[in-house]
């Protein structure tokens, strides 16, 4: 039996999403920019997808720009703030995805911006008093803080951060790649200027996502070429992908509460199973705190047996992911920022609505057997 617990890396495509997409490969394959019937048909679908996504997020259709995924959406937001709004100071965190961190650091190396990092506690909870003092020193900054971290699952209070940004006239970008489709985002209430999303994190297809850019906020093109996306993003629209993205988001929000409760119950089951069966287990960041972490992610520090635990799990058909302030491979910048004790096995389990309680039981049993020598 194969068990997939790496849903923060990517989620399986929902069958209903696949079914919604296939006609856009086989029948409605036109180019949305073409003026004949094939093109017009696709253009109508594109407009209707944009409208649906905007409705689900309480935004306007013109504020949704389709991209190739989260990386492009993050890059576009950052570039827009620097080139479009002329921002010279950026406030961010050590926990951002490399799509944000590497992009910002590259601009800093070129001398375009100066970056300040928000302080945090040992669990990675951001110090919003420090953020406010940075904003006081540098009003009109660009603030980039992710909603939830993809490695440890820490949730950041983006509502409070948005309020602070508004108070100090800063531009606020949030990477919601791990939370769109998993939490409600009301963009009339949330004080955010840019927001990045990616379909493959909520059972949609890979290679498609969107950037939300609040009306009146500077937006500069990352890709130059044709006049697609109101001249904001060149390149023939990935219509099948956009249809899949839209269907996946509709399905995610249709039963959001039910999915949340179910997935949280799987996470709780794993936390309890590990605590009951493996001595010396601990959880990274706020990962095991239900109020402060993403219900789809659990980052665990396990005793080191000297074996490559991820490989052992892989051999048993269990797909999880690592991180390694702990043992092998390149150190994760997130675990490093938490200053974790070295010499432990970090495993990230990430869940979806397609996982089952039986799968969790099997993982607990297997880990107990693998770690028995240490636990005994
Ligand atoms: N931001 C976060 C938090 C992510 O987890 C990921 C993907 O893992 C990305 C950005 C990049 O998204 P994409 O794979 O759609 O480019």
């Amino acid at each position: 039996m194969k068990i997939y617990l790496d849903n923060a890396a990517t989620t399986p495509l929902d069958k209903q999403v696949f079914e919604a997409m296939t006609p856009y490969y086989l029948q409605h394959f036109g180019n949305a920019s073409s003026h004949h019937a094939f093109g017009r048909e696709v253009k109508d679908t594109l407009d209707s997808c944009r409208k649906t996504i905007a409705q689900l997020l309480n935004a306007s259709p013109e504020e949704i720009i389709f991209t190739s995924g989260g990386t492009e959406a993050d890059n576009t937001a950052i570039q827009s703030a620097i080139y479009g709004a002329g921002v010279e100071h950026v406030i961010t965190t050590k926990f951002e995805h490399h799509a944000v961190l590497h992009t910002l650091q590259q601009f800093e190396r070129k001398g375009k911006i100066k970056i300040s990092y928000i302080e945090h506690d040992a669990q990675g909870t951001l110090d919003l008093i420090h953020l406010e003092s940075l904003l006081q020193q540098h009003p009109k900054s660009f603030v980039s803080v992710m909603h939830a971290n993809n490695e440890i699952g820490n949730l950041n209070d983006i509502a409070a951060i948005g309020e602070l940004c508004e108070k100090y006239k800063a531009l606020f970008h949030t990477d919601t790649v791990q939370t769109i489709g998993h939490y409600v985002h009301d963009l009339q209430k949330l004080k955010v200027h840019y927001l990045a999303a990616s379909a493959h994190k909520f059972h949609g297809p890979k290679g498609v996502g969107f950037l939300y850019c609040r009306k009146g906020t500077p937006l500069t093109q990352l890709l130059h070429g044709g006049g697609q996306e109101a001249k904001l993003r060149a390149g023939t629209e990935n219509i099948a992908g956009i249809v899949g993205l839209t269907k996946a988001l509709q399905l995610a929000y249709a039963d959001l509460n039910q999915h949340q409760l179910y997935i949280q119950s799987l996470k709780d089951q794993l936390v309890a199973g590990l605590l009951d069966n493996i001595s010396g287990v601990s959880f990274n960041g706020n990962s095991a705190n239900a109020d402060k972490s993403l219900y789809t992610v659990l980052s665990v520090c396990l005793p080191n047996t000297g074996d490559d635990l991820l490989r052992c799990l892989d051999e048993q058909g269990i797909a999880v992911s690592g991180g390694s302030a702990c043992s092998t491979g390149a150190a994760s910048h997130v675990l490093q920022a938490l200053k974790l004790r070295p010499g432990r096995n970090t495993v990230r389990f990430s869940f979806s609505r397609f996982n089952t309680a039986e799968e969790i039981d099997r993982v607990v049993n297997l880990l107990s057997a693998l770690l028995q020598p240490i636990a005994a």
Side-chain angles (χ1 to χ4, degrees), residues 7-10 67-75 95-100 146-151 175-179 196-201 205-210 348:
N7 291 282
T10 196
T67 65
S68 62
T71 302
E72 185 189 328
D74 283 334
N75 272 261
F95 300 101
E96 299 306 303
H97 190 272
H98 283 153
V100 168
M146 68 201 321
H147 187 195
N149 182 268
N150 47 301
E151 287 191 43
D175 176 334
T176 52
V177 167
Q178 292 290 339
T179 59
S198 180
H200 73 107
K201 308 292 187 180
K206 293 169 187 57
V208 62
F210 64 87
R348 178 188 69 182

